[in-house]
Amino acid sequence: MTSTLPESSAKTEQGRPEWPEELTRVPYWVFQRQDVYREEQQNLFRGPYWSYLCLEAEVPQPGDYRTTFVGDTPVIVCRDEDGELYGFENRCAHRGALLALDDRGSNAKDFTCVYHAWSYSLQGDLTGVAFKDGIKGQGGMPKYFCLEDHGPRKLRLAVLHGLVFGSFDEDVPDIEEYLGDEILSRIERVLGGRTPVVLGRFTQLLPNNWKLYMENVKDSYHASILHLFFTTFGINRLGQRGGIIVSESGAHHVSYSAIDREAELEAGYSDQNIRSDSDYSLADPSLLDGFSEVGDDTTLQILSVFPGFVLQQIQNSVAVRQILPRGVESTRLNWTYLGFEEDTPEQRTVRLKQANLVGPAGYISMEDGCVGGFVQRGIAGASDEEAVLEMGGASAASSESRVTEASVRGFWKAYREGMHLRQEKDK
């Protein structure tokens, strides 16, 4: 979709209007333009950033593999006979067909393209070309053709507490430096010292630009307003103890809240005319019975890694989300629900029950699957207008308050940097 702009609008060399100087303004054309989408694939998803690929637990044995994406680029993550993980583009070097057609597999010895039977090792190296030498001295590849010079692009991989990240850029900082100490510690809080197991998966297609969902993930302001279930059953209210952590670059964030044992039910929502009280109750209140996840009082932690990864702990529902762009106005959202080998049978039952809280039809998060589409539709004729992000100030800094859009501003700070849109007055 290409926007129509007023003649008076200041434009860049690409024909787009200039980005506003403040982090508190986001132009709607960034969610609408095909040229922006193309540049995101090159600058962000194939640039110096780490993208989440899969769980190490999904490829435990040699020959196990998962197919996934970096942005819209299909890739394979595979464990070779040497026990190491390798990542490479899911694309035959010959004519570009997919090498692996399934979401996952096991006991693979190699990958062979169905089109012309070019074959590849589990490390992504081209190892064979069908009829390379021709037949009876005729046909075949030229003598100078060298297998080693051809093959799909390789990924640099990093494994962190069972999470597998990949990057096409060899110069991307080490994952620990990329995330920073605060974000690392919050990932370790949920996953450290435990062995994840997959309890289930969902894939959800959203009718909106991928950045609208990423904004939503980082937006602590909406959580207890949009999600009636949160406030009705006291799971998450803005007056609870908690805060926002925003990495120095703005790229990554954590939003968290904890049980306030002295004042669990604070006033404020009815005063604001916000729907928070109702006559609804749970037929099975044990849905909300749980246990301390890691020995503290934090019952909600939402963590994001730029450009498209989310780790959630909502009560005892632990999951990872992979946000994948599928065009200017379409996003694929992959949910993977986690338990741990160390769980007791009772804890596993709690996790399975609370899986109903989140996901495409979750009591809490089903609204998140709608609001991005509401925005995408609402801005259809407003490409020259801007969103307002002034809640909690104008900075992209950590805060003890969750009544703020600081982490959303942080996303746009990192986005502008990666897309070379940064203005001198960025804060």
Side-chain angles (χ1 to χ4, degrees), residues 58-66 76-85 104-111 122:
E58 295 179 287
V59 282
Q61 301 298 325
D64 291 350
Y65 68 89
R66 282 278 282 128
I76 298 172
V77 178
C78 185
R79 194 175 295 277
D80 195 10
E81 296 296 332
D82 63 2
E84 297 296 321
L85 288 176
R104 62 186 61 84
S106 58
N107 302 315
K109 301 302 179 185
D110 59 17
F111 295 97
L122 299 183

Side-chain angles (χ1 to χ4, degrees), residues 252-372:
H252 325 301
H253 104 290
V254 179
S255 173
Y256 65 96
S257 64
I259 297 171
D260 189 339
R261 300 190 183 278
E262 295 182 358
E264 289 192 15
L265 297 176
E266 78 288 347
Y269 286 85
S270 58
D271 298 342
Q272 300 283 335
N273 243 353
I274 294 172
R275 55 191 186 120
S276 62
D277 300 311
S278 75
D279 295 327
Y280 289 108
S281 61
L282 293 172
D284 180 9
S286 70
L287 173 69
L288 299 180
D289 291 344
F291 54 93
S292 178
E293 188 63 46
V294 292
D296 59 23
D297 286 339
T298 297
T299 54
L300 182 143
Q301 177 180 293
I302 304 295
L303 179 151
S304 70
V305 173
F306 190 90
F309 170 74
V310 181
L311 170 64
Q312 70 161 57
Q313 175 222 334
I314 300 177
Q315 301 290 92
N316 298 118
S317 178
V318 178
V320 295
R321 309 178 203 169
Q322 182 187 34
I323 302 166
L324 297 173
R326 282 294 169 271
V328 174
E329 297 186 1
S330 182
T331 300
R332 175 174 169 178
L333 179 59
N334 293 330
W335 300 75
T336 305
Y337 296 82
L338 302 182
F340 300 92
E341 287 185 3
E342 296 78 9
D343 287 344
T344 66
E346 294 77 16
Q347 289 173 331
R348 181 62 52 83
T349 298
V350 169
R351 294 196 195 283
L352 291 172
K353 275 190 174 184
Q354 292 189 359
N356 291 291
L357 295 175
V358 290
Y363 293 133
I364 294 170
S365 60
M366 58 182 169
E367 297 94 343
D368 291 328
C370 301
V371 292

Side-chain angles (χ1 to χ4, degrees), residues 168-179:
F168 280 112
D169 194 318
E170 280 297 319
D171 295 326
V172 64
D174 290 344
I175 190 71
E176 293 81 6
E177 179 184 350
Y178 181 77
L179 295 174

Side-chain angles (χ1 to χ4, degrees), residues 92-349:
C92 181
H94 179 213
R95 299 277 288 278
L98 293 171
L99 294 175
L101 304 177
D102 298 323
D103 289 339
R104 62 186 61 84
S106 58
N107 302 315
K109 301 302 179 185
D110 59 17
F111 295 97
T112 300
C113 178
V114 298
Y115 200 176
H116 298 94
W118 285 33
S119 57
Y120 300 80
S121 72
L122 299 183
Q123 298 186 22
D125 298 320
L126 179 61
T127 56
V129 172
F131 302 113
K132 176 176 176 293
D133 298 323
I135 298 177
K136 296 182 179 180
Q138 297 187 17
M141 300 296 286
K143 297 296 183 183
Y144 59 78
F145 182 81
C146 179
L147 296 178
E148 291 77 10
D149 293 339
H150 299 271
R153 288 174 291 185
K154 304 273 183 84
L155 288 158
R156 180 180 168 189
L157 297 188
V159 180
L160 182 68
H161 296 302
L163 305 172
V164 182
F165 292 87
S167 178
F168 280 112
D169 194 318
E170 280 297 319
D171 295 326
V172 64
D174 290 344
I175 190 71
E176 293 81 6
E177 179 184 350
Y178 181 77
L179 295 174
D181 291 340
E182 286 188 300
I183 304 300
L184 279 170
S185 69
R186 286 288 176 159
I187 294 176
E188 183 176 13
R189 174 188 167 272
V190 177
L191 300 178
R194 302 197 282 182
T195 307
V197 295
V198 176
L199 300 184
R201 299 180 179 88
F202 284 103
T203 293
Q204 184 177 9
L205 292 178
L206 306 177
N208 52 263
N209 188 276
W210 69 276
K211 298 184 294 296
L212 288 172
Y213 187 80
M214 204 62 193
E215 274 195 327
N216 180 269
V217 165
K218 291 174 174 285
D219 176 16
S220 58
Y221 175 34
H222 87 278
S224 62
I225 301 173
L226 176 66
H227 304 305
L228 180 60
F229 195 93
F230 264 150
T231 48
T232 298
F233 299 104
I235 296 175
N236 180 22
R237 294 183 175 225
L238 286 172
Q240 289 176 319
R241 290 187 295 113
I244 298 290
I245 299 170
V246 183
S247 66
E248 184 176 351
S249 65
H252 325 301
H253 104 290
V254 179
S255 173
Y256 65 96
S257 64
I259 297 171
D260 189 339
R261 300 190 183 278
E262 295 182 358
E264 289 192 15
L265 297 176
E266 78 288 347
Y269 286 85
S270 58
D271 298 342
Q272 300 283 335
N273 243 353
I274 294 172
R275 55 191 186 120
S276 62
D277 300 311
S278 75
D279 295 327
Y280 289 108
S281 61
L282 293 172
D284 180 9
S286 70
L287 173 69
L288 299 180
D289 291 344
F291 54 93
S292 178
E293 188 63 46
V294 292
D296 59 23
D297 286 339
T298 297
T299 54
L300 182 143
Q301 177 180 293
I302 304 295
L303 179 151
S304 70
V305 173
F306 190 90
F309 170 74
V310 181
L311 170 64
Q312 70 161 57
Q313 175 222 334
I314 300 177
Q315 301 290 92
N316 298 118
S317 178
V318 178
V320 295
R321 309 178 203 169
Q322 182 187 34
I323 302 166
L324 297 173
R326 282 294 169 271
V328 174
E329 297 186 1
S330 182
T331 300
R332 175 174 169 178
L333 179 59
N334 293 330
W335 300 75
T336 305
Y337 296 82
L338 302 182
F340 300 92
E341 287 185 3
E342 296 78 9
D343 287 344
T344 66
E346 294 77 16
Q347 289 173 331
R348 181 62 52 83
T349 298

